[in-house]
Amino acid sequence: MRVPGRGLLNAAQQVRFNFDGVAYDGLAGDSLASALLANGVRLMGRSFKYHRPRGVVTAGSDEPNALVTVGRGAAQRPNARAPMVELFEGLEAVSQNRWPSLAVDAMQVNDLVSPFLSAGFYYKTFMWPRAFWEKLYEPVIRRAAGLGALSGVAAADESDKVFGFCDLLVIGGGPAGLMAALVAGRAGADVILADERDRMGGRLLDEKEGVGGMAGHAWVAGVLDELDSLPNLRRLVRCTVTGAYDGGTYGAVQRGAPGVAHETFWRIAARRAVLCAGALERGIAFPGNDRPGVMMAGAVRGYLHRYGVAAGRSVAVFANNDHAHCTARDMAAAGLRVACVIDTRPEAPASTGDWPVYTEGAVTGTSGRLGLRSISLRHAGGQRDVFVDTLAVSGGWNPAVHLTCHMGARPVWRDDIAAFVPPEAAVPGLRVAGAAAGVFTTHGALSTGVRAAHDALDDLGISATPADLPEAEDAACCITAFWQVPGKGRAWLDLQNDVTTKDVALAARENFRSVEHMKRYTTQGMATDQGKGSNVTALAVLADATGRSIAATGTTTFRPPYTPVAIATLGAGGSGVGFAPQRFTTSHAASIAMGAPMVEAGLWYRPGYFPRRGETTWRQSCDREVAMVRGAVGVTDVSTLGKIDIQGPDAAAFLDFVYTNRFSTLPPGRVRYGLMLREDGHVMDDGTSACLSPGHYLMTTTTAGAAAVIKHLDFVAQVLRSDLNLRFTSVTEHWAQFAIAGPKARHLLNTLLDDPIDNATFPFMACGAVTLAGVKGRLFRISFSGEHAYEIAVPARHGAALFRLLVAQAETLGGGAYGMEALNVLRLEKGHITHAEIDGRSTAGDIGMARMLAPQKDCIGKVMAARPGLSDPARPRLVGLRPLDPTAPVSAGAHLFAPGAAAVREYDEGYVTSVGWSATLNSNLCLAFLTRGADRIGEQVRLVDALRGHDTLCSVTDPVAHDPKGERLRG
Amino acid sequence: MRYNALRLLKEGLTGNRGWVPVWRDPVPQAAYDIVIIGGGGHGLATAWYLAREHGITNVAVLERGYLGGGNIGRNTTIVRANYFLPGNAEFYSHSLKLWEGLEADLNYNVMHSQRGLINLFHSDGQRDAFVRRGNAMIAQGDDAVLLDRDGVRRHLPYLDFDNPRFPVYGGLLHPRGGTARHDAVAWGYARAADRRGVDLIQQCEVTGIDVQGGRVTGVQTTRGAIRAKKVAIVTAGRSGQVAALAGLRLPIESHVLQAFVTEGLKPVIDHVVSFGMGHFYISQSDKGGLVFGGDLDFYASYAQRGNLPMMEHVMEAAMTLMPVIGHANVLRSWGGIMDMTPDGSPIIDRTDIDGLYLDCGWCYGGFKAVPASGFALAHLLATDRPHETAARFRLDRFRTGAGLMDEEGTGAQHNLH
Amino acid sequence: MRLTCPFCGARDLREFSYTGAAVLCDRPAPDAGADVWDSYLHLRDNPAGVTRDLWYHGAGCCAWLVVERDTVSHAVLSVVLG
């Protein structure tokens, strides 16, 4: 209920929201949890396994129980924690994991059979009958599993990712963080201060404390004013630092204002950092400790002081430490009935009001089906039952060490404060201050925050003036570890996953004694809160059960993210076409205008074919384009192939080293095909290299291989052969390049070149500088199609114009543009290889190019290519295949068997790499690898594609099907 | 004690106090016939098959931490038999058959779920490569179905078919592929091996391997010296370190692979789905979390954690492939140590030292191999002959170039597989 | 994670790609023998500790770099040109 005059919210700013179909009013600045509590709503969820009624237990991101789904459709977000959901006008939230309603959940029947559903029960059953696991048990389990549901509608990609850089990253804006930021900010350091809440101040907003002679929140306001006046300080609210990574890198998620879905994922490179993330309260495991109304004492105070909300009308306090007693004082001051304080210790602070303080006390049970009604307790003087609707529990505080342990270190147990503290220097550059370091007083937080900032500034060589420490609370931490109350009834540890102390005892009994085994076996700490409130208690229970100390039992591993982060945020920008760059050629627009469907070739887009009127299938266009190239002339864009400009006195020697064949013998004005191996002796790539002038070469690569080749060339030149004097650079994007292929190719060119060419001036494999309409270009007489062909290159800015010009000219000669489909058939007819044949597992010998390894010189891959396994004559060898029935189906990926052999692995003799219908030869053609293929020309093999049901008898042929002597290339 | 529903009922009615330890905590003996270094999936499976198939029980499994604390405890749980190169094809086929009988064999519910695995492809060239793979699977006697775009849409309607960077052309469906519960596999094998008398020794780190005259005689450990006739190194990403104790250098480079899980959600993904244009794969566990991962971080590491660039790439792949999961929250990330080989395929072989055996090189694919690896290594240890399903996993294949199994086609660079 | 490229300064990990151990810099002579070549290309010390790696600043200046790095802590000790 709302307590007038309490809290930091403005009572005039009402906000309407909806929970489970019921409309409520809250205030601007409320969380969903505080607004629901203000409206007397305590039942907020159901636990995972037993579907027990659950209420909110914390006031922060460590909330295990009150998980809701916010929004609908594309905006639907499951598993939101009610204390972290900021209220906005029109907010719609629904509870999860219940049917038909939160108050009446049919699945609560699980609770009745809980003795049979203890930890790990599913490993011991569901095995019979065998088929039932997948048909019955598993589907039922999967439907019952999970808490929230996705909407099934694509999430909008509306978030961003940014990089941030700073001298000092301050993680947490409570007293420690504020002082650290103040010191560093005043010193002129570049500071980022981040806090996961909507307001900074930490405990100073949750507690009733004075700082520097004024109310804590007032002191905070003053500090924030000063921080915001500093140009060198960025203050990020709603920003959770989610992980510490190598090299001073931190990940952080910054949420939008209430109702705004946009989030920003930060990658922060911080030269130094200070962790001021505070501490998270833990409870005590006692029978019935899971009813709505049993809450962390600090949360009860936080709801009162920050939001002006009383969690209930009557409260009792159950604690093992001095600090928790102020819950009673604060609730009484707000006019609520305090029933008693139950302290586990033999001595406790005296009562400050009209309620008793019981010592040697323990809560032994609770009652109330949908919410706490009463508690049973025992104490030094006896036992009694007390009617309360709220029980504020405090078993102590767990410093939020998580980030310090993200790089594999484990926290250190301290008996004196009954807490794990960060390991020393576990994350380079990261210091810890305040409660996160186990320094629990406000004064301690302020002073260690200052100290940490000074130390960080010293590291950075930035001088700072000492800051004045305002007066603040400094009571010694008085706590005696207390973990569980034995007795009848289940005592809960992990509230979301329904793990009890009995489950931990069972794990120990079954010899799952390591804390990791206990965690995995019981699922303790594996829920959405990752056990923030329960892991330490659970490991203490395990320690007890296995006769070890807490330190010896140890913790499990801490992992990013500190709190869960949406995939859409971590992957911002990746949806749709954002995932990878799109690369377009200069002829792209023209191709689209001509109706060509575009195909992905790596990151590039290339035209598949150019349909003409009357053509309704790709085959029709492809067949026509092939005939057009072989009969007249075709034009296609080949700009995507890698082009590398290589210059220097040792350029030729360099080429000799990276190619298997010799280029030092290539005269200027000539082009040569080159084969490039990886150092392991397999083919990496192929292409042509042209000698433009002495010491000046232009290498081409395949489209797919371009990036790998240039990286390889860089390695050879910089590392392996730094003795060579040369320079090179990629010029792939500098030049637009087009193939002009067909009997009329030279005729077409001569209509455009400023100086016409003939076979004498430009024979097959020649190259040289040319000009077209005054534009300087390069011409190469090379052929992938097997026809008389050239490739013409012009600076890219002229590419679009040249393409249109070439196509128009070609069309006047009975030719035109052709695309990838025709390109593939043309090269197939000539037995030319692509990466379908050189797929990374083939050698030069496999593709019939063993002779390209020039004997007298070393080159990359030469030695390893000679390994016995790579020169084995039984290896599959490149051949052509032609089906006996020319139109019988063939497919790439089909396997080859001897006729009459069963189509099983033991008799597998090879596979088909490429296929196409050859209009030129009126037959389906294949390229394939066949065991001992070179010796089997003329034999028959069975081509089997079991996936598609093809089984075709083929003849083994030479790979070159069309113009084997290459006569069409010359002249 | 046999596990079944009746036992659950009986124990539940009596306060669950009757459950017995899943394994003993034996004191290490002074000597064993066989010492297995490494108490992960492969080591534990080997121990059980030695006992079950060969009647050899004078065996110790030495685990430096807690059983199943390595990669078996931190993987993405995929079980499949869709490799295509000879050597791998028969091995994983055998493994899948063992998986299918595993619950009955071990009397432990490993939750093996053959929900179907789909490899998506995004170009004609990729399709052709998957056709080759699918036909290899069928020739091996396993199951594969080629799906066109509509076929994929029927199985996976939630993918982005409207505007992805790399449109789905189709997919290869492996109906018998799926997932299993990783911890249960380790615990199931451990319990079953323990019941047959194998000693499982935890918190026992091997600090030395004793070799005399070219023959192994035992190991030194943090819990004392142990003599053994045969020693097997089954330590995945740490194989290089352990082998170095015997003076061996291996063709292994250890790398980190990150993986991720979201908060539990009601069912949304039924299959195992693998993206073809970014190394991304995903499934949904029985507890509701989406379990997914991608590429290695690519730099050598023993840290068992990775960095942001690869994590972001994986998340971006998720967003381009299936933005419906955009509002699922990543709950936890982790990493393992992958033993990468120059061809991406494993090693189950003797070494040059008599009595010293090696089972490693599983890269990031060791989980599905657990049964067949244990089976084959047990066979090798018991008979000194390789089992026919693993005969090609030779240590010397890199030196000779004979029998390389480079499924990715990326060559002799360890981190590219 | 960040590497300090000698030319470009401290840059984010994503600008770099890792190839393998720095032993790759010492290419054997063609006649060094099968054992030497097998070791060069395949066998690795693979230490859990300080190692020397080969990295490429592909999204930057394209320099090949030898990085001294700890494979357990990921601490970067030095970065020099390859």
Side-chain angles (χ1 to χ4, degrees), chain A residues 267 509 581 841 867 905, chain B residues 16 140 165 312 398 406:
Chain A
R267 287 73 52 91
R509 187 176 313 129
R841 282 175 287 266
R867 283 181 288 171
R905 179 184 44 82
Chain B
N16 283 311
Q140 174 55 42
R165 176 61 183 84
E312 294 178 45
F398 308 106
D406 184 353

Side-chain angles (χ1 to χ4, degrees), chain A residues 278-283 396-402 413 418-420 435-436 440 483 531-537:
Chain A
L280 302 167
E281 198 163 27
R282 60 181 183 241
W397 291 84
N398 296 328
V401 304
H402 308 65
W413 177 254
F420 279 101
F440 290 132
W483 308 106
K532 287 189 174 65
S534 56
N535 275 346
V536 174
T537 316

Side-chain angles (χ1 to χ4, degrees), chain A residues 151-177:
Chain A
S151 68
V153 176
D157 188 352
E158 57 207 339
S159 294
D160 281 307
K161 291 204 252 193
V162 300
F163 289 96
F165 301 88
C166 62
D167 292 325
L168 185 68
L169 172 65
V170 180
I171 303 164

